[in-house]
Amino acid sequence: MKTIAIIGECMIELNGTPFGTMQQTYGGDTLNTATYLARNTARDTLRVDYITALGTDPLSHGMRVRWEADGIDTRHVHTDPAHSPGLYLIQLDASGERTFLYWRNNSAARHLLQQPAWPQTAAALAGYDHLYLSGISLAILPPADREHLIDILNTSRVPITFDGNYRPALWKDPAETRTAYARLLPHVQLALMTWDDEQALWGDADPEAAIRRLQQAGVREIVLKNGAAGATYATGDTRHHIPAERVEHIVDTTAAGDAFNAGYLAARLQGANPVTSCKNGNRLAARVIQHKGAIIAAEHSRLN
């Protein structure tokens, strides 16, 4: 059985109309990917571990129970008695595009590397078959902790998958982000990037320029996601463009990229080629954007 450790943060989600009816659930880019990956792989072929910190509050307990029901292993979910999960609110426009408001500055996940049992978790990372994190996983950490995590990842000798997921509000400035990414990218085997983010952070002239820059940084395999325009897989001089699946009615684009990542990895880690894996990612993303919220009902998100 293969194992993958996904490092990040999950928050309480409020979805609905401000000052009106709000639905409470949860989500977070890496947790979304962990959930959809676990739902779409057999538990005897891939163990999906989520690494984060939660509080001692009832919402934290409820999230852990639901993650385990989805097939996520929580052995490295730390319990922080001094902090609680962050919170975000999704506002949707008429086309399903979303904007977010966040309350996460003192979340438990921000203090992940300060948990008493973190050294044991850090030591365990070298024993996984794959490691996965995002730009948000790095952004939420205090600078010294961020540097320490990158050092651990860079010396783990385990294949790393990285989703850049650039959120400017979480960083001091773009230069801080570029410095952190530049330290990690030479050790990344697979980059699952979004064109809009790459252009905003690096100022690339076009998608091919972004791909070439990532290759020069040392990334061996790249998937550049571009929303309705589809995705491009790149390795060496090889390029494959995979069109997005057509969706007649988009309800909520929250977690579309996270779902793509899960669909891609669900296929790729079980031996599928990159094109088939991208198609799998597109299929899962198309399912998710036809429902509200980051984590949709399990029966709607299983591809097989």
Side-chain angles (χ1 to χ4, degrees), residues 23-232:
Q23 178 183 2
Q24 175 198 300
T25 179
Y26 58 85
D29 65 335
T30 51
L31 188 278
N32 303 338
T33 295
T35 298
Y36 293 130
L37 179 57
R39 287 178 180 178
N40 282 282
T41 51
R43 299 187 187 186
D44 60 347
T45 61
L46 179 68
R47 194 184 84 212
V48 180
D49 287 16
Y50 195 57
I51 298 178
T52 192
L54 294 173
T56 57
D57 55 279
L59 292 176
S60 292
H61 174 72
M63 285 194 291
R64 187 192 294 256
V65 170
R66 292 193 180 191
W67 299 351
E68 291 171 351
D70 274 321
I72 296 172
D73 192 297
T74 62
R75 69 185 66 190
H76 292 297
V77 174
H78 298 254
T79 301
D80 184 338
H83 302 93
S84 300
L87 170 72
Y88 70 99
L89 184 150
I90 302 175
Q91 299 179 87
L92 299 174
D93 64 20
S95 64
E97 286 299 325
R98 75 274 193 235
T99 56
F100 297 88
L101 293 174
Y102 292 98
W103 296 265
R104 75 195 314 172
N105 288 341
N106 203 29
S107 70
R110 178 174 169 80
H111 300 273
L112 172 62
L113 272 67
Q114 299 164 28
Q115 301 305 312
W118 168 254
Q120 290 91 330
T121 296
L125 292 179
Y128 285 89
D129 295 305
H130 301 274
L131 302 176
Y132 177 103
L133 75 160
S134 75
I136 294 176
S137 308
L138 298 176
I140 64 170
L141 298 175
D145 288 358
R146 181 188 309 137
E147 293 299 305
H148 183 47
L149 178 59
I150 292 173
D151 287 340
I152 293 170
L153 295 170
N154 288 352
T155 57
S156 69
R157 298 185 180 180
V158 178
I160 297 170
T161 294
F162 181 61
D163 177 356
N165 214 358
Y166 174 52
R167 298 294 179 265
L170 296 178
W171 297 89
K172 180 178 69 175
D173 53 41
E176 181 184 48
T177 317
R178 289 192 290 265
T179 298
Y181 287 17
R183 286 196 62 221
L184 179 65
L185 285 172
H187 303 273
V188 170
Q189 175 175 295
L190 171 63
L192 296 166
M193 309 303 241
T194 301
W195 161 238
D196 288 346
D197 289 349
E198 295 302 286
Q199 187 179 40
L201 179 58
W202 301 94
D204 297 315
D206 52 53
E208 180 59 27
I211 289 170
R212 290 296 185 190
R213 174 181 48 75
L214 289 164
Q215 289 181 326
Q216 289 169 4
V219 182
R220 283 164 280 179
E221 295 184 70
I222 299 158
V223 177
L224 192 62
K225 299 170 285 184
N226 196 9
T232 299

Side-chain angles (χ1 to χ4, degrees), residues 4 33 36-37 40-41 46 132 161 189-193 220-225 231-235 240 242 256-285 303:
I4 182 169
T33 295
Y36 293 130
L37 179 57
N40 282 282
T41 51
L46 179 68
Y132 177 103
T161 294
Q189 175 175 295
L190 171 63
L192 296 166
M193 309 303 241
R220 283 164 280 179
E221 295 184 70
I222 299 158
V223 177
L224 192 62
K225 299 170 285 184
T232 299
Y233 173 83
T235 184
H240 294 290
I242 300 90
D258 309 330
F260 176 95
N261 295 352
Y264 183 92
L265 290 170
R268 194 81 172 104
L269 295 179
Q270 296 181 89
N273 63 50
V275 172
T276 298
S277 300
C278 283
K279 290 178 179 178
N280 207 54
N282 283 338
R283 286 177 59 212
L284 187 49
L303 297 179

